[in-house]
Amino acid sequence: MNQSRNPTPYLVFSLLLIVLDQLSKFLVYKYMEPGFSGQIPLIGNWLKLHYVLNPGMAFGMQLGHEYGKLFLTLFRLVAMCAIGWYLIHLARSGASKGLLWALSMILAGAVGNVIDSTFYGVLLKNAPYGSPTPWFHGQVIDMIFVDFWEGFIPEWIPVWGGQYYSTPIFNIADSCIFIGVCSILIFQGSFHSDHSDHSNHSDHSDHKDEDETPVETTLSATDEHTDIPSTPVKLEDDETKKES
């Protein structure tokens, strides 16, 4: 049986990442100008802070439907709850620590963007013009710009083909999801191996305990059997003394 892990450290880690994500978005909203006019170079011309509003999915992608944003936000809410439950379930099942850390990053990213989509339309009044309601239509604040490509996407690519794009601008929540997913894909073999080794070790310990029990019983029975001849031997000695 696998040893259960305490899910609290992984949930606290998610909470810290959520706070960091929301703090960075608030600072960008408060102190930066949107667009190229407020752009701040960090490392040369390829890593910059660039304040934009994203009405759609991660990395600037959008759903072209009147209620697409609402569906996306509701989907994020469901996914957030499912990931949180799955993280706790895996922790109690004794899953690999690496897998749990990766899932905690994915959970943090999901919650961070859910907060934007659900509340920013009301709190920051940044819902797109014509939205049915500001609730669940908030635009996500993006600011990390790794500028190494821009141009037209080939026509043969579905949905975005023929349109002009630059490298996506994203936020800390997007980064958490990306790093968490990549970690699971790259290290899933070691995650599974760690879990299997832990399981085999537990099974070996259980079998060892079971094997020790009959040994003690056998020794106990042997000791009792060894004591049996002692009584008749003593009686023989007493009778010999009487005859003499």
Side-chain angles (χ1 to χ4, degrees), residues 185-207:
L185 293 176
I186 295 172
F187 301 108
Q188 59 177 329
S190 61
F191 292 163
H192 178 72
S193 176
D194 292 344
H195 192 191
S196 299
D197 292 343
H198 182 76
S199 177
N200 292 335
H201 177 72
S202 300
D203 292 342
H204 178 71
S205 299
D206 293 341
H207 288 313

Side-chain angles (χ1 to χ4, degrees), residues 39-50 143-145:
Q39 184 171 273
I40 302 174
L42 296 178
I43 302 177
N45 288 322
W46 64 271
L47 181 60
K48 313 167 185 177
L49 287 179
H50 187 105
M143 79 291 293
I144 303 173
F145 187 17

Side-chain angles (χ1 to χ4, degrees), residues 1 11 24 34 50 68 83 86 90 95 99 103 107 110 122 126-127 133 145 166 174 180 186 190 209 221 234 242:
M1 184 176 180
L11 296 175
S24 66
H50 187 105
I83 295 169
Y86 191 53
L90 285 180
L99 176 60
L103 274 177
L107 175 62
V122 176
N126 70 358
T133 171
F145 187 17
S166 65
D174 297 332
I186 295 172
S190 61
D209 293 340
K234 186 178 180 182
K242 288 180 180 178

Side-chain angles (χ1 to χ4, degrees), residues 22-48:
Q22 291 299 308
L23 179 61
S24 66
K25 291 171 179 175
F26 175 77
L27 292 175
V28 167
Y29 169 78
K30 187 75 175 176
Y31 297 107
M32 287 187 65
E33 291 291 329
F36 286 96
S37 60
Q39 184 171 273
I40 302 174
L42 296 178
I43 302 177
N45 288 322
W46 64 271
L47 181 60
K48 313 167 185 177

Side-chain angles (χ1 to χ4, degrees), residues 5-204:
R5 300 189 191 278
N6 183 4
T8 303
Y10 307 101
L11 296 175
V12 170
F13 180 60
S14 291
L15 180 60
L16 292 176
L17 291 176
I18 293 167
V19 171
L20 180 62
D21 172 68
Q22 291 299 308
L23 179 61
S24 66
K25 291 171 179 175
F26 175 77
L27 292 175
V28 167
Y29 169 78
K30 187 75 175 176
Y31 297 107
M32 287 187 65
E33 291 291 329
F36 286 96
S37 60
Q39 184 171 273
I40 302 174
L42 296 178
I43 302 177
N45 288 322
W46 64 271
L47 181 60
K48 313 167 185 177
L49 287 179
H50 187 105
Y51 176 19
V52 295
L53 293 176
N54 174 14
M57 297 183 289
F59 300 107
M61 294 180 285
Q62 301 183 32
L63 292 175
H65 190 277
E66 180 182 0
Y67 293 97
K69 179 67 174 181
L70 178 60
F71 295 148
L72 177 61
T73 303
L74 294 176
F75 172 78
R76 281 173 169 166
L77 283 169
V78 174
M80 175 189 73
C81 296
I83 295 169
W85 173 87
Y86 191 53
L87 173 62
I88 295 173
H89 171 73
L90 285 180
R92 290 175 176 172
S93 301
S96 165
K97 290 183 178 180
L99 176 60
L100 296 176
W101 290 122
L103 274 177
S104 65
M105 295 187 71
I106 297 173
L107 175 62
V111 174
N113 284 333
V114 161
I115 293 173
D116 298 18
S117 299
T118 305
F119 301 109
Y120 279 12
V122 176
L123 298 178
L124 304 184
K125 296 179 172 54
N126 70 358
Y129 177 77
S131 298
T133 171
W135 292 101
F136 303 106
H137 284 81
Q139 299 188 78
V140 177
I141 294 177
D142 291 333
M143 79 291 293
I144 303 173
F145 187 17
V146 183
D147 186 10
F148 63 86
W149 181 86
E150 60 180 336
F152 286 93
I153 295 180
E155 295 283 349
W156 54 268
I157 295 180
V159 182
W160 301 285
Q163 301 183 47
Y164 179 85
Y165 275 92
S166 65
T167 308
I169 303 173
F170 51 97
N171 54 44
I172 293 177
D174 297 332
S175 302
C176 289
I177 295 174
F178 181 78
I179 295 172
V181 171
C182 288
S183 298
I184 292 175
L185 293 176
I186 295 172
F187 301 108
Q188 59 177 329
S190 61
F191 292 163
H192 178 72
S193 176
D194 292 344
H195 192 191
S196 299
D197 292 343
H198 182 76
S199 177
N200 292 335
H201 177 72
S202 300
D203 292 342
H204 178 71

